[in-house]
Structure formats: C-alpha cells, structure tokens
Amino acid sequence: MLDRSAKGVFVIAPTPFLPDGALDLDSADRMTDAFLAAGASGLTLLGVMGEAPKLTQEESVAFVARVLKRVAGRVPVVVGASAPGFAPMKALARAVMDLGAAGVMVSPPPGLKGDEAVVSYIAQAVETVDAPFVLQDYPQLSGITMTAPMIARMAADPRVVMLKAEDWPGLDKLTAVRRLEAEGKMPRIAILGGVGGQFLPEELARGADGIMTGYAFPEMLVKVCELIWAGKRDEAQDLFDAHLPLIRTEVQPGLGLAIRKYVLKRRGIIAHDTLRAPGPKLTAETAGEVDYLLGRLSRVQPLKAAA
Amino acid sequence: MLDRSAKGVFVIAPTPFLPDGALDLDSADRMTDAFLAAGASGLTLLGVMGEAPKLTQEESVAFVARVLKRVAGRVPVVVGASAPGFAPMKALARAVMDLGAAGVMVSPPPGLKGDEAVVSYIAQAVETVDAPFVLQDYPQLSGITMTAPMIARMAADPRVVMLKAEDWPGLDKLTAVRRLEAEGKMPRIAILGGVGGQFLPEELARGADGIMTGYAFPEMLVKVCELIWAGKRDEAQDLFDAHLPLIRTEVQPGLGLAIRKYVLKRRGIIAHDTLRAPGPKLTAETAGEVDYLLGRLSRVQPLKAAA
Amino acid sequence: MLDRSAKGVFVIAPTPFLPDGALDLDSADRMTDAFLAAGASGLTLLGVMGEAPKLTQEESVAFVARVLKRVAGRVPVVVGASAPGFAPMKALARAVMDLGAAGVMVSPPPGLKGDEAVVSYIAQAVETVDAPFVLQDYPQLSGITMTAPMIARMAADPRVVMLKAEDWPGLDKLTAVRRLEAEGKMPRIAILGGVGGQFLPEELARGADGIMTGYAFPEMLVKVCELIWAGKRDEAQDLFDAHLPLIRTEVQPGLGLAIRKYVLKRRGIIAHDTLRAPGPKLTAETAGEVDYLLGRLSRVQPLKAAA
Amino acid sequence: MLDRSAKGVFVIAPTPFLPDGALDLDSADRMTDAFLAAGASGLTLLGVMGEAPKLTQEESVAFVARVLKRVAGRVPVVVGASAPGFAPMKALARAVMDLGAAGVMVSPPPGLKGDEAVVSYIAQAVETVDAPFVLQDYPQLSGITMTAPMIARMAADPRVVMLKAEDWPGLDKLTAVRRLEAEGKMPRIAILGGVGGQFLPEELARGADGIMTGYAFPEMLVKVCELIWAGKRDEAQDLFDAHLPLIRTEVQPGLGLAIRKYVLKRRGIIAHDTLRAPGPKLTAETAGEVDYLLGRLSRVQPLKAAA
C-alpha cells in the first residue's frame, strides 16, 4: 500500500497496443521489466499518458492485472481512476485495488466552480475510492486550480497520501505546500513532481520526494534523484541537461505520447508505437528529429534499455 | 432503422435512478410509456441529459435494453455514443444496435483543431459505428464549430441521416444547411432542433423536421409541430409562449437536469428526481419557483402525464 | 454618487454609431431621453453591450461626456472600466469620474487562478479606481467564479457598493449573499440582477434591488419591479411573460447586441443599428422573426418609445 | 518596410518600467542598443511580452516613438496591433506606421468560429491596417487554429509578408506551409519561429527564415541561425543546448516575462525588472534558480550584454 513516505521515481506507463489496436500484453511485461530495471520506485497505470479513456472497462482491468502480476509486489502500482461520475470511479478503483494496486490517482474534473467545490469534490472522491489516494494537480488538463491552502485542506484526510504536482509553473506552489507542512498547518505528504520531467532538479530542490512522469529514459530520472540527494547538484544538472532537448520534445501537447511510444519502441521496451484512434501520427520529419536527439544522447546514455 | 425522412419529436430521456443511485428500471418503463403517450416520434437515450458518463458500461447497456424492450419497435430509439476513443464508441454502438437501437448519436470531442480535423473525425466515427448516424452539433458543450459547408461534407456519407442542431444561436446555420440542400450541394438530411426547445417555432419555420430535446412536457412540442405544420403559427406561438417560462428555467446550465427530473417526478413520469453524484441539488427556493411556474402552466396544460 | 441604497432599473446603454461607424452622439441624446422617460433609475455605459473595446480611449470619454451632459445629474451613471491592466483602468476611471459619473463597474479578467487571486484582484481594482465600485459577476464572459463568501470578502471595502449579479444560473447565489448579510457576515450591498432580464421576477423575489440590463424595453423592467414590490406577483409575471419571447431572442450570445440595436432603432430610440466591426449582421430571417415578436408584443406594449 | 524576404532574429522587446510603473524610456534606449549589438535583424514592440494591454494609447505610442528614434532605420521594427475592434487597431497602426514602423503584427482574437471566420477576420484586419502585415499564429493565447491551407489563403494578399509561427507543437505546420509554397499553392512568405526559442534548430531545419522571440540572450539566437545556415548543425545544437535550461525556465506561462525582465536587468539591458500590475512577482527561490542557471551559462556566454 502506498503511504506518505513514498519517494523516488514512479514511471507513468503507456498502454502498449498491437498494430491493429488490440492490447499488447507481451509488451506490457517487457515494459514492466524495463522500468523496474531502470530503478523505478513505483509504476502508474491508466494516466493521461495511458490512453485510459480509449480503453473499455474490461481492457483497463486486463492491462492493470497483467502489470500487477508481472510486478509481483516489488513496487507499488498506482492506477488512474478519474471519471466523470463516482459510480464508474468506484467500480474501477475497487477492481484494481482487489487486484493488488497500491493506490489510485484522481484529478478533479473540468467545470468545478470555486475553491470550495474542488475541495468538496476531492473529499467525495476519496470517500468513493476509499484507498490510498494520489491527488493529481494537473490544471493544463483539468482547468482546475488547487492552491497550497486547498491542498492542505484535502490532505486532512489521512487517505490522501501523495500529491502529483503537475502545475506549470508549479515550483512556488510546491514550496508553499512544504511551508504549510513546516508550519504545522497540514501533515507531511509525499509529493512527486511531473510536467514531463522538465523541472526535476528544481522540484527536488524545492522538496519533492521524487517524480512521477513518463519520460522515456526513467534511468536518468532515478540517477538525478540520487545525485541531488547526495548533494551533487552540478553533476545532476549536467546529466539532466543532456536529456533536456528530448524532454522538451516529448512534452509537446498532443504529440508527446506519440513521441514517447516511438522512443520506447526504439529502446526495445515496447514492440509497437501504435496509438489508439483518434490520435496523432509522427511525421517522418519529427521522427528524424527524435532520431537526431537520440543519437546525441547516446554519448551519455545507451539507447537500448537494460533487460 | 433511422433514415433521412425522420421527423417529429424525439424525446431525450433522462436515466432514472433510485434514491440510492441504482438504476430505476421501473421508472424507465413508466417514462417510456409516458413519452410515447405524449406523441413522441422517437426517443434518445444516453445523451448529455442521460448522465451517460456516470454510468458503467453494463448499466448503459442494461438501461438501453430495458427501454428498447418497452418500446418494442413502435418508434426509433437513438443512443448517444460519444466517447474519447473509437474503441469504446464501437463497443457501445455495436451493443445497442444489436439490441435494436435505430441509430447512434455522436458529437465531435473537445480539442479538435480546425474544420478539417472535425470533418475527418466524424468520417472516422461514422466508419466506427457503421450505423445510422445522428450528428450532434452542440458547441456549448464540445467547443467545436461546425459550419453549414462542413455539415454538407459530412452528409456526403449516406449513413449520416440526421443533424441534431444544438448550436446557440443556430437558426441561421439551419437556414444555411437547407439552402445548400436546395442548391444541390448536399443531400437532404433530417434536421431536428434542440437547445431545450427555446426556439422551436423558429426552428420549424427555418426548415427543421422537428426537435430532439428533453423538455419535460413533450406533448407541447408535439402540438406545436402539428400547429406549425398546419399553418397555425400564431396558435403555435401562443401555446409555446405559455411554456417558455419553464423552458427558460430548464435550460440553465448545470442545474437544468435537476429541474427536469423534478418536473418529471411531479408529473408522475419517474419515481425519484435523484441525480448521480457529482451533480447539483435543487434548493427549496428553486423548487418553489418551479412549482409556481407549474401552477401557472396548469391553466393550459395538465400537470399529470397521460398514461 | 452611487451608494449601497441604489435600486431600480439601471439600463445598460449601447454605443450608437452612424452607418460609417463613427460615434452617433445625436442618438446618444435621444437614447438617454428615452431611457429616462422609461423610468430608468440609472444608466450604465461602456459595458460589454457598449462595444467598449472597439472604441478608442478618446471616443469612450467623448461618449460618456455626452450622455452625462444630457442626464444632467438626474440619475446616477455607471461606467464600465474593466481593463487588462490597472493603468488604463485608472486612466478611464479618473476621466469619467471627473466628468460626473456616479461609479465604475469592473469584472475580474479571465485567467485568475483560485478564489484568493480573484478577491485580491478586486481589492487592487477598488484601490485603483477609488470610486463607488460595481462588482460585475459575469462568469460566462470572464470565466471567473465568485462565490457568496468571496463576495462577502470583497464587500468589506465600503467602496464596493453594488453587485451586478450576472451568473447563470445565479439565483441561489443571490440568496446566499442575502443570507450572509442577514447573518451579519457582510454589510448589505445593492444587488442588481442581469442575464438580459431572463429571471427578473425570480431575482426580485430572491432579494435583488432591481436589475441592470440592456433589454430594449426598459419600461417593462420598471413596471415589473413596481408590481412585484407592490405584491402583485401574478400581474408582474403576466407582463414579464409577454416579453419573454423577445428577451429569449435578445440574449443569444454574439447575436444579441445586433438584435437589441435593431429593436432600439425600430423603437425610434437610436437612428441606426450599426455595430462596429468585427460584429455580426442580422439576416433577413432573423429580422423577420424579431418583427413577428414585436408585432405580438404590441398587443401589450407600444413599439414606439415614449419621448 | 518589411517584405517577404525578411530573415534573421527579430527580438521581441519588453516595455521597461520604472519601479513606480511609469515608462522607463532610458532603458528603452539601452535595450535597443543592446539588441542591435546582439545582432538583431529586427525588433518587435507591443507584443504579448510588451505588456501592451496594460499601456494607455499614449504610452504605447510614446514607447514606440522612442525606440524608432533610437533605431534610426537600422533595422525594421514591427509593432503589435491586435485589438478587439478594428477602430483601435487602425488608430494604433496608423500612428506607428507614421512614426516609421516597418509593419504591424496581428493575431486573430479569441472566439472566432470556424476556419472561414478566421480567414475573413484576417482579410479585414489587413485591409484595416493597410501596411506590411505579420500574421501571428499563437493558439495557446488566442484559442484560434490556423492550418497551413488557411495560411495559404491569407497569404494571397501581398500585404501579408510574414508568419510568426507560434503554434505548439507547430513544426509540422511549418513544413506544410513550405510544401504549399513549393507546390505553387501560395507565394513564399517570410516565416519566423517563436515559442520562446524552444525549437529554434528544428524551426530553421524546417524552413523558417529565423525567429521572433524575446529570449533574453538574443546573441545565441543569432549565432545558432548563422551556424545552421553554415551547415554546422551539431555546433548549433551544442550552443542551443547550453541555453535550453534557461529557455525552459523563461517559457513558463504567466511567470516567463517576470523571469525575462529579471535576466535582462541582470544583464544590464534594462534598469528595473518592474512589471505593471496585475502581474506575477519572482520569489526568492525562483530568482535563485535563475541565478544558478545564469552561473552555469556563463561558461559559454558572458552575462553582461555587449554595449
């Protein structure tokens, strides 16, 4: 089970598909192995990057079941359960918790009006899933603002164990939450950064316990955490900077997932870079640009994933 | 099966729930009877008003199955199948068409960029559901603009049989589509109006074949169509105007469905006015306002639904 | 000067233009006379309906000056001063207050994040204009939510004298504000309704002190207020209902102002129905629909404005 | 005058303020000198980054006049003239063209519906300003999509000389425009990239003629263009990569301008990093992060601007 002491790199996994769009569960196994070999402290399934809304309920559960089986308890697995209604949220949350998930992640939906409505929605969501709860703060997608004092109120429920901090810009909010904790105004919760890894060094310096993101080279994320926590900030930044051109390419809205699947395929982590429709396709020009960046990156980072 | 000659009043049905939030299938039967007794030419299930995203897939299919059984082929039943991915759209469309639905209704999703992307999305959606297709033009919800020339292009596929015209303002677009048809630039399709019934007389005068909406007194909609088509415009407008204060109250965003369920309950059409969470609750003040309007309306319209 | 005891009908005036788009200051005079003859308790200039952003600063001031001169102190005149920066807001507010305006109206701008940011913005705006302040709550336009508790906080500054309540739906919020006042949690402020007049009877019943809107027959708004305050609710509703079909037509987003100017021209209140570009044009069909409604309305309401 | 052969780096200049918020015209001079010394091929004033909507009309003109005087015709100066109405757009465009600007830049406003409405708006805007026209494609801000075929239609007017390509992701669109030109479907226009410089090497490789952005080290942008055009792609990328951590920091929405002004101040280019209210403030933490990045950058790039 996930608790407030969680830390490290939680890799957000895509959902692999065969060229015809069917679930590719063999790739799910290989991907699980690769992420664990890269040093992941946890996995996150069915996030935005997991194309969750394009899966049927059965497929969602089948994919989660397969990954959980492969993980076999070695690391906690978080499952995204955001839904327009509490009934389907509850159904999915129960199913995946019964299968062995460590917690669920929920973002408030678009359209809530005012701070109070957001705080109240999350309280109901926590009650609904009744499991270790990861609060996803992703305003670019949800359109919902969560300020530090709102997060403090939500964290009063002990089931809220983790904040996935995905606001952009969001570093000052991260600092503000840690400050409220230090002032005794809220319990200390786990905070993992996000936004594609773009601000990992700063997030860690501001007090994040790690990061939850889907960048295609999670071993870099792991190493940067280690270096920063060992006080080697410059060395961490050097490594980070070498990856930044690719990170910048991956975080492009709409296109990013296609690029990530392309890189994961080139790394041998998944067999196909298929996205379910509707979804973007990589042009030859974009693929060429990614190839060029991968070539440069290979000076410091092997392309092929460790087995 | 739905075809391009469809006309009249298609009633958008809510999904009735018991006080604990479970499906109320007995109310589904009673509601079906009441809408048919009111003169409905068709029914529409799992629309926005049907709280579709708050249902699990099993519940959606169970509700559709129950209504279809009760309708027993007397009128066509359209089922909403908008979904973030084509895989769940296909799954639902197949399930309901197999059960006997007459067609499916789909709106383009938020986020499509540019006319071409919308036209192309709909072409793929039609291919995906491969059934009589109702094109839902509801920009207040989808954020997507469909101009008359775009609709003409979409209507080139013979499976696109009907336009649910829900833009606001949308009357000039309705005229523009009919003009393109008259000029031979697109085939004639069925057009049903919407926006809660607020512009029914004008929609019909502009060439709509009827209306698809969830106003709680569908018998008025039926009667206004009859009067207009009999050339009795003033008489139609008199009847319409008597209902307009309630229509105005029902079309309030967010709150409208709660008001409709309240009225349907007061009419004896459904047993409970329960909405699934998250959803608004009627205050005593709002209920009192609706009661006042129902009292005034009773001068021209019996409150209790015909059996 | 505007204070918290303001009540009645504040007519939101359009900005009249000549056919070539130049300011039509003669129409401004005639319009001012007509609105005062209709019983207006106040006027509002340079609102959304006044095409304010399409005016140069000089034109804005020239128009306000002309109306103020014509009003000659008989009723308070509120001027819209929303702006993306406090510098132009201050410049306009000073200019119009020096000319004799009674107060300024400001809406928070799109993009503010969280309740605190909105409250803080308004506090700065009040400081900036340093004049009787009308708080415009118009979320359909601003995208900003103001809850009753937020309004209570803003009203702590004695310069905040009036709330223009334009949320939709917004009646329960109006009640909530009046409740906070009754509980001593905020001072009593003037509240004028809005949303084109669609809910005038309900707004008054919920405790509004009148309405601020641009409906083209302000004499109806005045009469409904009188009737309601005299306890004649049914009579008020009868009069209101006769106007509702036209109100419904005027509140259509984008198109509404063109319709209002058309009606004001037909009433002899302004000379031309010109809108500044970019702006919509009325089709012949829409004009015909409005003419039909005006014909029906003439059974209870003379078309020509009183001089 | 700007024409379709324009190329190189057009620096988007901020508007410098004194600590009390007044225009800082001395800094405007120094900034102009610094940008020209850095190798700018042009300057752009009153863009989003120029806090244009926070200036009064007089201030806008005063600032433009000062910069134009200092430039003294050495490079073309483009002035942003987007406005909610054509009347203020025309007034500003005429004023700045009379002062010696080389062209104006306009973005379509939020709210236009459908491709046709956008193309038609731009046609009217070009007619309105009647000057060399820079089409700003900045959907993150405007919410407006411009596809390559739409751009082709707009470019049919010979006054449309340049596209500022600011879509994100936007590289494939850039390629699509160049392809339409190569196919003879539109005239060749100047294209300058944007998005804060994040994709400069790729933009140039896709056929951009340079970049128009406000990154605080324009000398890097100039050098990267030179290297790429000299065929030294790897060398260009090395230089670019060294700046990417700071670029990433500067492009954060909302906060970015505050960071840029802070850097420009540290470089000695402007005297104060004042933003006009409402606007964000840099926290000590953020300033510290920027300082750290500037320190690292100093290994390849002097902090102090060349005089």
Side-chain angles (χ1 to χ4, degrees), chain B residues 44-66:
Chain B
T44 303
L45 308 180
L46 304 185
V48 176
M49 193 183 147
E51 298 177 73
K54 299 183 193 167
L55 304 180
T56 63
Q57 249 164 295
E58 293 74 21
E59 291 173 325
S60 296
V61 172
F63 172 62
V64 171
R66 181 70 166 243

Side-chain angles (χ1 to χ4, degrees), chain B residues 239-258:
Chain B
L239 175 58
F240 174 80
D241 287 359
H243 284 262
L244 190 53
L246 184 58
I247 290 176
R248 163 208 64 148
T249 300
E250 278 191 17
V251 298
Q252 295 179 87
L255 201 55
L257 176 57

Side-chain angles (χ1 to χ4, degrees), chain D:
Chain D
M1 286 300 199
L2 204 65
D3 65 32
R4 289 174 167 176
S5 67
K7 63 182 303 185
V9 175
F10 278 58
V11 180
I12 303 185
T15 305
F17 298 111
L18 296 170
D20 68 357
L23 281 180
D24 176 4
L25 295 175
D26 289 338
S27 281
D29 284 345
R30 198 175 330 136
M31 175 179 75
T32 301
D33 294 346
F35 290 162
L36 293 186
S41 298
L43 296 183
T44 302
L45 308 180
L46 303 186
V48 176
M49 194 183 148
E51 299 177 72
K54 298 184 193 167
L55 305 179
T56 64
Q57 249 165 294
E58 293 73 21
E59 291 173 326
S60 297
V61 173
F63 172 63
V64 171
R66 181 71 166 245
V67 173
L68 282 169
K69 189 177 168 206
R70 191 76 172 191
V71 168
R74 287 175 288 168
V75 298
V77 175
V78 173
V79 179
S82 299
F86 289 135
M89 184 189 294
K90 185 174 198 163
L92 181 62
R94 286 219 175 140
V96 301
M97 292 305 293
D98 285 350
L99 286 167
V104 299
M105 181 166 72
V106 172
S107 164
L112 297 173
K113 307 289 185 201
D115 293 3
E116 201 59 38
V118 177
V119 172
S120 154
Y121 177 89
I122 291 297
Q124 286 178 272
V126 174
E127 202 58 43
T128 297
V129 304
D130 193 25
F133 190 93
V134 178
L135 177 61
Q136 186 178 21
D137 180 18
Y138 194 1
Q140 298 95 281
L141 201 78
S142 66
I144 299 296
T145 297
M146 294 188 202
T147 61
M150 291 164 72
I151 293 167
R153 290 175 60 194
M154 300 177 202
D157 188 312
R159 289 168 291 191
V160 176
V161 295
M162 181 185 284
L163 171 69
K164 172 161 165 50
E166 193 101 69
D167 201 354
W168 181 55
L171 294 168
D172 287 331
K173 189 197 291 185
L174 210 163
T175 295
V177 172
R178 287 298 186 221
R179 197 168 286 150
L180 289 175
E181 293 174 357
E183 293 168 349
K185 290 176 179 153
M186 63 178 284
R188 192 184 190 289
I189 59 175
I191 303 181
L192 299 189
V195 287
Q198 290 178 85
F199 291 93
L200 177 57
E202 285 87 351
E203 287 169 341
L204 297 173
R206 299 285 192 122
D209 299 305
I211 189 163
M212 182 188 285
T213 192
Y215 178 59
F217 288 87
E219 48 270 67
M220 179 278 284
L221 305 171
V222 171
K223 186 74 183 166
V224 166
C225 287
E226 290 170 1
L227 289 168
I228 295 258
W229 290 331
K232 301 180 179 173
R233 173 64 195 268
D234 291 341
E235 210 176 316
Q237 190 81 34
D238 288 342
L239 175 59
F240 173 80
D241 287 358
H243 284 262
L244 190 52
L246 184 59
I247 290 176
R248 164 207 65 149
T249 299
E250 277 192 18
V251 297
Q252 295 179 87
L255 201 54
L257 176 57
I259 295 173
R260 279 187 182 161
K261 283 197 159 179
Y262 176 79
V263 176
L264 291 172
K265 180 189 168 193
R266 286 219 44 207
R267 301 199 68 196
I269 293 177
I270 59 177
H272 312 281
D273 56 0
T274 314
L275 267 69
R276 278 211 170 160
K281 288 200 183 358
L282 285 201
T283 58
E285 288 85 357
T286 301
E289 287 158 359
V290 173
D291 290 342
Y292 175 71
L293 295 178
L294 290 175
R296 286 174 63 88
L297 188 57
S298 67
R299 298 176 299 188
V300 303
Q301 165 71 50
L303 176 61
K304 289 291 165 189

Side-chain angles (χ1 to χ4, degrees), chain B residues 103-114:
Chain B
V104 299
M105 181 165 73
V106 172
S107 165
L112 296 172
K113 307 289 185 200

